[in-house]
Structure formats: C-alpha cells, structure tokens
Amino acid sequence: MNRTAHRLVAIVLTVFVSSIGFAGPAVAQSTGMVKGKVVDGEGKPVEDAKVTISFKEGVNRTYDTKTNKRGEFIQIGLQSGNYSVTAEKQGVGTQTFDVRVRAGNPVEVNFQLTPSAAAAASGVAEALKKVFDEGVLASKAGNHDEAIAKFQEASAMLPNCFDCYYNIGFAHSQKKEYDKAEEAFKKAIEMKPDFANAYTGLATVYNAQKKFEEAAQASAKATELSGAAGGGGSAEAYYNQGVILWNGGKIPEAKKQFEEAIKIDPN
C-alpha cells in the first residue's frame, strides 16, 4: 500500500470514529428518567406506595413502580414528553403532579400523601351528624343541659351551623334561660337571615317575658319568611302571631291572624 493509500485509509477511519463518537451520546440521551420520594403527612417514608407514570401525548403508555423502604422510587427509559405522575397508598393518600421529561435530564418528583379533602370532609360530616343526633335525642328526652352541650360541640365542628344555635336557643328557652335563648336565636338569624323558625323562637322568648312589642315584630317576621318560603305562610305561624297579639291586648289584630290560620288549616 503506497503512502496515498495509507492516507486515504486514515481519513476514512477518522470519519468512522468521529461518527461513533457523535452517535454514542445521542443513544445514551434518547430516554429520560423520573425519580423521587414519597412521605406521609408526618414526613415519614412510605414503603410500597404505587407510583404510576402516564404519558400524556396521545400514545397510551403507562409505567408502574413502587417505593422502597426509604420511600424512594426511580423509573428510567422514558420518552421525552409530558407525563402525569401519581403516588398512592391505601389508607395514606394520593397525590398527582404533571411533569416534563427530557432526554438526559432526570426529573425529581417528591410526594407527601395525606387523606384526601373529600375523605376528611366525609369523616367530619359523619361525626357532626352523630353529635347533632345525640343532641336531638337529649332535647326530646328533656335533658336540656346535655342537648346544649351536644349542639355546642356540633357548632365547634361546623361554625356556621345555624340549626345548632337554633336548638341551643330552644333548650335554653325550655330552661327559662331567656337571655341565653335570645342570644342563640339571634346568632342563628345572623348566620341565616331568612330562618323563620329562629324568629319564631325569638317571639316565644319575648312573649314569655311579656315583651309583647318585640314578640309581635319577631312573629310577624317569622310569618313573612314562612310565607316567602312556603307560598302563603303556615297556619302555625299565623296562630303563634295571633297568640302574641292577643297577649299584648291587640285583639282585632289577633283576630285577623287566627282567621288566616283557620283559612290555611280549618282544623
């Protein structure tokens, strides 16, 4: 082989090696990786949490893996693109993040699993119902102190529970604690301005204290709201207003209320 031939072979080999040199890194960087850690609400590692990595760009491609004892996971061989990454474990919680995977650029996704808001809300609702029902049973049994305690406990669980304050007012009125009853009924009205029953409760409290003007005003408001809600008002609301007016010496006005009550319910 002459010198020209040697030089030609050397050029060819240089080009071939250069091609390998460029091709190698391109192959190594053609896929991406997602890694991370899963902990619970206290920051402790969650072992055996299921981690699902789903491709979001048209092709149905999903990868499943699990966490180790340290709560760590890793998934390699991912095509570049957008993914959703979900970590979940029964009784601990679930969480999802959207990520962008790029070749040769590891993506770290860390999770902190807590019970879902819906599950937490469901638990609170069940506990609230239990306490509220216990208050109703205590009230029906005439155990008004226990009823008040139960409805106060319920109101602490649900601060805008206007029914709780109405029932607190009713229990206080049964104990003739009219100041406390008035306060509770007004609190219920503050939360629900169209709460006809709370106005009726106020009217009863004022009537018991011979505050007939205040009683008549509260009863009139109850009748108005009852009519707005029920399309004409209830016989009970008109009857109660009639009693209050009668007690206040307003006989003609009372007569009109009784007549309205009879018109709605002849019995």
Side-chain angles (χ1 to χ4, degrees):
M1 185 178 294
N2 58 32
R3 293 181 61 186
T4 302
H6 277 293
R7 185 169 179 275
L8 179 60
V9 170
I11 292 173
V12 171
L13 287 175
T14 300
V15 172
F16 178 70
V17 170
S18 297
S19 299
I20 294 174
F22 283 117
V27 171
Q29 295 182 12
S30 63
T31 59
M33 175 176 68
V34 172
K35 64 178 182 176
K37 187 172 183 178
V38 181
V39 299
D40 61 17
E42 298 178 354
K44 298 177 181 178
V46 178
E47 183 181 1
D48 287 332
K50 180 183 178 183
V51 180
T52 304
I53 304 168
S54 301
F55 192 57
K56 296 178 63 178
E57 298 186 12
V59 180
N60 184 15
R61 188 177 295 130
T62 300
Y63 304 84
D64 290 324
T65 186
K66 285 190 174 183
T67 56
N68 60 20
K69 291 182 178 180
R70 295 186 298 273
E72 299 168 343
F73 69 92
I74 186 169
Q75 178 65 52
I76 63 174
L78 301 177
Q79 175 185 335
S80 296
N82 293 312
Y83 290 79
S84 67
V85 186
T86 300
E88 58 186 324
K89 186 168 184 178
Q90 183 72 29
V92 182
T94 182
Q95 191 174 29
T96 300
F97 291 106
D98 289 334
V99 299
R100 175 74 180 177
V101 174
R102 293 181 176 84
N105 186 19
V107 177
E108 185 167 347
V109 187
N110 295 313
F111 298 87
Q112 184 167 28
L113 304 186
T114 57
S116 68
S122 175
V124 170
E126 289 179 8
L128 174 62
K129 184 179 185 303
K130 179 177 181 295
V131 173
F132 191 92
D133 289 346
E134 289 171 351
V136 171
L137 289 174
S139 184
K140 287 181 177 179
N143 300 326
H144 300 303
D145 287 330
E146 182 183 346
I148 290 168
K150 289 296 181 181
F151 290 124
Q152 286 175 336
E153 184 181 347
S155 70
M157 298 168 68
L158 184 67
N160 63 341
C161 178
F162 52 84
D163 278 323
C164 295
Y165 282 97
Y166 169 79
N167 282 286
I168 290 170
F170 176 80
H172 279 302
S173 69
Q174 296 301 297
K175 296 181 65 182
K176 300 187 182 341
E177 296 174 346
Y178 297 125
D179 289 345
K180 293 179 179 179
E182 178 183 0
E183 181 182 352
F185 286 134
K186 284 184 175 179
K187 186 73 174 177
I189 291 169
E190 181 183 324
M191 294 177 176
K192 183 175 173 59
D194 62 348
F195 196 4
N197 287 344
Y199 279 105
T200 298
L202 268 183
T204 301
V205 166
Y206 291 141
N207 187 55
Q209 299 176 88
K210 301 188 186 306
K211 297 179 179 179
F212 299 124
E213 286 296 330
E214 293 93 330
Q217 291 172 9
S219 182
K221 186 66 176 178
T223 303
E224 174 192 333
L225 292 171
S226 179
S234 69
E236 183 181 2
Y238 282 111
Y239 173 78
N240 288 337
Q241 190 173 3
V243 171
I244 290 166
L245 291 169
W246 179 278
N247 289 337
K250 299 181 178 180
I251 308 305
E253 292 90 336
K255 179 175 179 289
K256 290 180 181 179
Q257 299 303 315
F258 291 139
E259 288 172 345
E260 284 295 327
I262 293 169
K263 188 184 299 183
I264 294 171
D265 182 0
N267 295 318

